[in-house]
Amino acid sequence: MPRRSGTSPPAALLAILLSGTLAGAEPIAPADRRSGFDQMSPAIQAMQRDDESNPGLLAVADGAELWTARPPSGRPACSGCHGEAASSLRGVAARYPAWDARMERPIDLQDRVNACRREHQGIEPLPYESPDLLALTAFVATQSRGLPIAPPDDDRLTPARNRGRALFEARQGQLGLSCAICHDDLWGRRLGAAVIPQGQPTGYPLYRLEWQGLGSLQRRLRNCLTGMRAEPFAYGAPDFVALELYLATRAAPLPVETPAVRP
Amino acid sequence: MRRRERAARLLAALLGLAAAPTRAGDGMVPYTVVGDAIPASLTGAPGDPVRGRAIVADRTRGLCLLCHAGPFPEERFQGNLAPDLAGVGARRSPAQLRLRLVDGRALNPDTIMPSYYSLAGLTRVGKAWQGRPILGAGEIEDIVAFLATLREESR
């Protein structure tokens, strides 16, 4: 279990960054990948499965309205450019984060929504975790429900993806833990009351009972970082997108579940 | 590099030379490792087992039951990431328990158990927790005193 090494994380990070490629085998083989859904109680699984009871679908409905709403700038609504979401957006969320040529960096789905607002609608980006941004993102992601996560085969993403993996495997915070210790090595075991999931990003934005609301993947990652007593990254920070990129690679080909429900 | 660091730590531990945390925080007391133990109380006095039990059972303070199970019939949902604490006071001396709490990496560099009284090697520590160990010297002694009372294996 070399990942649990006591080597100081900067040294470990540096070693990985310098080596350029990630030689290590995939910690969880594709056939062994499991959504956190599998570990939930039957009651919460039923809540997610049943569109009548899934509270995330309220936000998706809000997102559908925002999709067709004309912005105050007089420019087209989202639907004005993209048309029928069920066809034009099918599969999009399954391949995010993706490279954005204009910004010359990887962006996640929330960034994509805001980029469209800025560039095509001439309006302000929405704040992270605002109900409107979550609703629009959930609406977009729901169009890929059931499709396998399929990260783009794009070399420009490699450095960020490697950075994400290094972050995932580095010990950090006052407790000296890493994401990999819990989610690669100890998933399925009990951390107090919680059964540790593999940490798959399949359901976001999702409705978490503990939040009593919808939240993004970055919000979830902040929770884990705070639990490790590490400094969370700022919303939208490149390091968060790098982690999201690695998580997507690590999750493929699990299906998109948005809007999922979690305890 | 990894191996060298580990070897150095082990060697130091074996020679009984390993000393204080490299970057002592405010008011952290130095300690001396002898073999696989820290013989001297960090505070110079014995701890209080009743207070120690309360810290161990407190999931936001000791965090112990997130990973360990132990003889705490009133505590539901104990973790199963680590050995049961029942009987640990019979298996280990107070001095051995002290080193395992202070910095278990001295014995197992790959351990997932947090080092409760060491700032060495930590990165990206959250602002609220910077510059201080997880528990204070007095709390460590209280826990050592409590663990020493756990003499019966669970059945």
Side-chain angles (χ1 to χ4, degrees):
Chain A
M1 11 170 211
R3 216 175 300 110
R4 297 182 188 172
S5 152
T7 313
S8 68
L13 263 174
L14 197 67
I16 293 172
L17 292 174
L18 286 181
S19 76
T21 56
L22 291 156
E26 298 181 43
I28 303 179
D32 299 330
R33 295 176 186 173
R34 299 285 177 271
S35 162
F37 179 90
D38 295 13
Q39 293 165 348
M40 303 196 302
S41 69
I44 303 178
Q45 288 186 346
M47 188 188 279
Q48 172 171 327
R49 268 208 203 95
D50 175 9
D51 283 357
E52 300 289 302
S53 64
N54 183 333
L57 279 153
L58 293 174
V60 173
D62 290 345
E65 274 184 30
L66 292 165
W67 176 257
T68 54
R70 286 291 292 268
S73 61
R75 312 270 288 272
C78 313
S79 58
C81 289
H82 294 277
E84 188 53 50
S87 49
S88 68
L89 292 184
R90 184 123 181 97
V92 170
R95 51 182 167 78
Y96 264 72
W99 184 259
D100 185 82
R102 201 173 312 216
M103 291 189 251
E104 295 191 310
R105 62 175 177 86
I107 61 171
D108 66 12
L109 208 53
Q110 300 195 72
D111 291 335
R112 180 67 259 171
V113 169
N114 272 334
C116 277
R117 288 175 63 89
R118 235 182 3 252
E119 291 160 21
H120 304 303
Q121 297 187 307
I123 49 179
E124 287 290 298
L126 292 163
Y128 288 101
E129 300 307 303
S130 62
D132 284 2
L133 184 56
L134 290 169
L136 267 169
T137 309
F139 173 74
V140 172
T142 300
Q143 311 309 316
S144 298
R145 244 206 302 192
L147 292 181
I149 290 180
D153 186 13
D154 181 341
D155 284 345
R156 295 170 298 182
L157 295 171
T158 307
R161 193 174 279 141
N162 289 352
R163 166 80 184 154
R165 180 164 183 178
L167 285 169
F168 192 86
E169 295 180 348
R171 287 177 180 258
Q172 39 186 315
Q174 193 194 35
L175 304 185
L177 296 169
S178 69
C179 317
I181 287 175
C182 286
H183 294 298
D184 284 344
D185 299 346
L186 296 174
W187 70 271
R189 299 238 236 146
R190 245 190 12 257
L191 180 74
V195 178
I196 302 176
Q198 288 184 356
Q200 303 293 7
T202 43
Y204 292 82
L206 58 68
Y207 188 93
R208 191 165 178 220
L209 299 175
E210 192 182 305
W211 295 333
Q212 300 201 23
L214 212 67
S216 70
L217 178 55
Q218 291 191 12
R219 181 170 178 195
R220 173 66 251 181
L221 302 186
R222 286 180 84 89
N223 283 184
C224 280
L225 285 164
T226 309
M228 297 153 78
R229 302 189 178 178
E231 190 62 26
F233 305 109
Y235 278 112
D239 278 338
F240 257 154
V241 180
L243 264 176
E244 290 179 297
L245 253 176
Y246 175 61
L247 287 173
T249 312
R250 185 178 171 275
L254 290 173
V256 175
E257 287 169 63
T258 311
V261 179
R262 291 291 181 270
Chain B
M1 168 186 316
R2 174 180 300 170
R3 201 169 300 132
R4 209 183 317 132
E5 190 174 302
R6 187 178 306 178
R9 264 214 194 99
L10 270 179
L11 192 67
L14 290 173
L15 294 177
L17 296 177
T22 44
R23 277 186 299 141
D26 281 348
M28 278 180 79
V29 294
Y31 56 83
T32 306
V33 176
V34 178
D36 73 340
I38 301 176
S41 161
L42 299 179
T43 59
D48 172 355
V50 176
R51 280 202 307 254
R53 187 183 196 281
I55 299 167
V56 171
D58 184 333
R59 287 159 204 243
T60 58
R61 228 173 132 204
L63 311 168
C64 318
L65 299 189
L66 293 177
C67 297
H68 291 274
F72 302 86
E74 77 284 10
E75 290 291 330
R76 299 178 66 208
F77 302 123
Q78 305 179 10
N80 65 359
L81 308 181
D84 196 317
L85 292 177
V88 76
R91 297 195 297 273
R92 305 282 180 203
S93 70
Q96 288 176 317
L97 293 170
R98 190 175 289 111
L99 176 57
R100 282 155 181 78
L101 285 166
V102 164
D103 190 1
R105 294 173 301 181
L107 301 163
N108 173 12
D110 293 337
T111 188
I112 63 164
M113 175 154 156
S115 298
Y116 279 87
Y117 199 72
S118 166
L119 305 184
L122 300 182
T123 50
R124 300 201 62 258
V125 176
K127 281 195 194 70
W129 295 286
Q130 275 169 17
R132 56 190 174 88
I134 302 169
L135 293 174
E139 294 172 308
I140 300 283
E141 290 309 322
D142 290 342
I143 295 178
V144 169
F146 166 64
L147 294 178
T149 68
L150 301 181
R151 311 199 59 85
E152 261 182 61
E153 298 292 333
S154 68
R155 307 142 260 180

